[in-house]
């Protein structure tokens, strides 16, 4: 399958990052979201990030202009009907993703591949909502998408070899490194990472150390580029909580119980960088 055009559903941090890398790599991109203000904000962020890359000499000014011209932003999902490859990058909640996949299955050609950028939700479950489970796959990018090289490529139970090969090859064309992972709660990245962040939160809640001290231990002792609580704020504490709940529900082990402090902070609207308050103030 020779893919030239890509649809991206969701213009938030991950969605606009995915649109950015596809457009920068020569693909025509249709960026979709439910409201015009969301797609406008997504385009603004893409423009800023491309400008930053140009300023650093990673791309030319002409490259930036060309990439922006390849992106069209809409709120009408029906315009995806002629696209053969669509990546969903909505919020990490099953009911929202389920609604999108049902809609994409109805709108797009039966031959179209539907990928999800989910970081924890079952690809098999999403595929089961469609009439093309063999053409549903996980394509988990990492934030910030233009910078991070990894793409977890997740096979659902019914994902075909052809679908996997298309996504693997697309990842390489984007300058990414695809790593094959089987469908399981949290896949590899978040099954290992999120319990680490969750335990760091327990250490703060129990008074073992301050957030600054916990992060310093990991930066100086484990050579992490940022500490676990800074990373949690960067990811979004609401996203961390959603993923911990998926792990607890999917694996049934109490070791995945979300830290009560995390739940309280999300209830308070302290979501990390995006809200200006998390374990740190921004």
């Amino acid at each position: 399958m020779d893919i030239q055009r890509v649809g991206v559903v969701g213009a938030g941090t991950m969605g606009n990052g995915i649109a950015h890398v596809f457009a920068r790599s020569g693909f025509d991109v249709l960026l979709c979201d439910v409201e015009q203000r969301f797609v406008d904000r997504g385009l603004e962020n893409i423009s800023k990030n491309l400008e930053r890359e140009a300023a650093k000499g990673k791309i030319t000014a002409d490259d930036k202009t060309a990439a922006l011209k390849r992106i069209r932003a809409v709120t009408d999902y029906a315009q995806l009907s002629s696209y053969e490859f669509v990546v969903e990058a909505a919020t990490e909640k099953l009911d929202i993703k389920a609604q999108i996949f049902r809609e994409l299955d109805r709108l797009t050609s039966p031959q179209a591949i539907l990928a999800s950028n989910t970081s924890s939700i079952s690809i098999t479950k999403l595929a089961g909502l469609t009439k093309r489970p063999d053409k549903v796959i996980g394509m988990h990018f990492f934030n910030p998408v233009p910078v991070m090289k990894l793409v977890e490529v997740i096979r659902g139970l019914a994902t075909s070899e052809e679908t996997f090969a298309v996504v693997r090859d697309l990842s390489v064309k984007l300058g990414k490194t695809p790593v094959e992972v089987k469908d399981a709660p949290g896949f590899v990245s978040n099954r290992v990472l999120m319990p680490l962040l969750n335990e760091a939160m327990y250490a703060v809640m129990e008074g073992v150390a301050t957030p600054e001290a916990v992060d310093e231990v990991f930066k100086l002792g484990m050579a992490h580029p940022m500490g676990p609580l800074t990373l949690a704020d960067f990811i979004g504490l609401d996203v961390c909580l959603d993923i911990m709940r998926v792990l607890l529900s999917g694996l049934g082990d109490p070791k995945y119980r979300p830290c009560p402090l995390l739940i309280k902070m999300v209830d308070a609207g302290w979501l990390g960088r995006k809200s200006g308050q998390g374990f740190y103030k921004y």
Side-chain angles (χ1 to χ4, degrees):
M1 181 182 290
D2 183 24
I3 294 169
Q4 302 294 327
R5 303 186 305 155
V6 174
V8 178
V9 177
T13 300
M14 297 305 295
N16 72 62
I18 293 167
H20 173 146
V21 297
F22 271 107
R24 189 181 63 188
S25 300
F27 294 86
D28 291 324
V29 179
L30 187 67
L31 180 62
C32 308
D33 213 317
V34 292
E35 293 185 29
Q36 189 63 42
R37 62 191 176 103
F38 296 150
V39 293
D40 288 345
R41 188 186 309 152
L43 286 174
E44 182 182 351
N45 287 334
I46 292 169
S47 181
K48 287 179 180 177
N49 290 332
L50 286 167
E51 182 63 41
R52 188 176 296 116
E53 289 180 332
K56 293 180 178 179
K58 294 182 178 179
I59 61 173
T60 67
D62 288 344
D63 291 335
K64 175 200 168 182
T65 301
L68 286 172
K69 286 182 177 178
R70 294 188 192 104
I71 303 172
R72 189 162 62 91
V74 300
T75 57
D76 179 12
Y77 285 23
Q79 295 192 44
L80 290 165
S81 61
S82 62
Y83 282 69
E84 292 187 327
F85 190 86
V86 181
V87 182
E88 168 275 317
T91 188
E92 194 69 1
K93 294 186 182 295
L94 177 59
D95 56 343
I96 293 175
K97 291 185 184 294
Q99 180 181 350
I100 291 171
F101 266 80
R102 290 189 185 101
E103 187 74 357
L104 291 176
D105 190 47
R106 182 181 68 83
L107 289 172
T108 59
S109 160
Q111 284 72 47
I113 292 174
L114 305 180
S116 177
N117 181 59
T118 180
S119 56
S120 61
I121 293 170
S122 169
I123 299 302
T124 300
K125 185 174 289 186
L126 293 175
L129 302 172
T130 75
K131 296 176 181 178
R132 65 186 86 190
D134 59 314
K135 296 184 181 299
V136 176
I137 193 167
M139 193 178 192
H140 181 206
F141 293 85
F142 289 75
N143 189 27
V145 180
V147 176
M148 302 296 280
K149 291 292 186 182
L150 175 63
V151 175
E152 277 186 312
V153 181
I154 305 107
R155 293 179 185 258
L157 186 62
T159 303
S160 70
E161 186 62 38
E162 179 185 5
T163 298
F164 173 78
V166 168
V167 172
R168 179 195 60 209
D169 293 348
L170 271 179
S171 301
V172 173
K173 288 178 182 177
L174 297 177
K176 306 299 184 185
T177 301
V179 176
E180 181 180 356
V181 177
K182 292 183 179 179
D183 190 20
F187 315 128
V188 170
S189 56
N190 282 318
R191 182 168 179 170
V192 176
L193 173 64
M194 284 302 160
L196 168 63
L197 306 191
N198 198 53
E199 196 63 29
M201 296 171 195
Y202 270 109
V204 172
M205 185 185 76
E206 294 169 2
V208 176
T210 64
E212 293 83 358
V214 171
D215 282 352
E216 200 71 359
V217 166
F218 276 84
K219 288 190 292 183
L220 298 181
M222 290 78 172
H224 287 203
M226 66 175 76
L229 300 173
T230 299
L231 179 56
D233 276 355
F234 182 72
I235 293 169
L237 300 186
D238 53 336
V239 176
C240 294
L241 179 57
D242 286 340
I243 295 172
M244 287 304 302
R245 284 172 168 161
V246 168
L247 291 172
L248 180 62
S249 172
L251 297 170
D253 192 319
K255 72 182 179 182
Y256 298 110
R257 182 172 68 96
C259 176
L261 177 59
L262 172 61
I263 296 171
K264 285 183 180 180
M265 292 174 75
V266 171
D267 286 345
W270 293 9
L271 308 182
R273 281 183 178 271
K274 60 187 172 186
S275 70
Q277 172 73 61
F279 285 94
Y280 301 94
K281 289 186 177 181
Y282 301 93

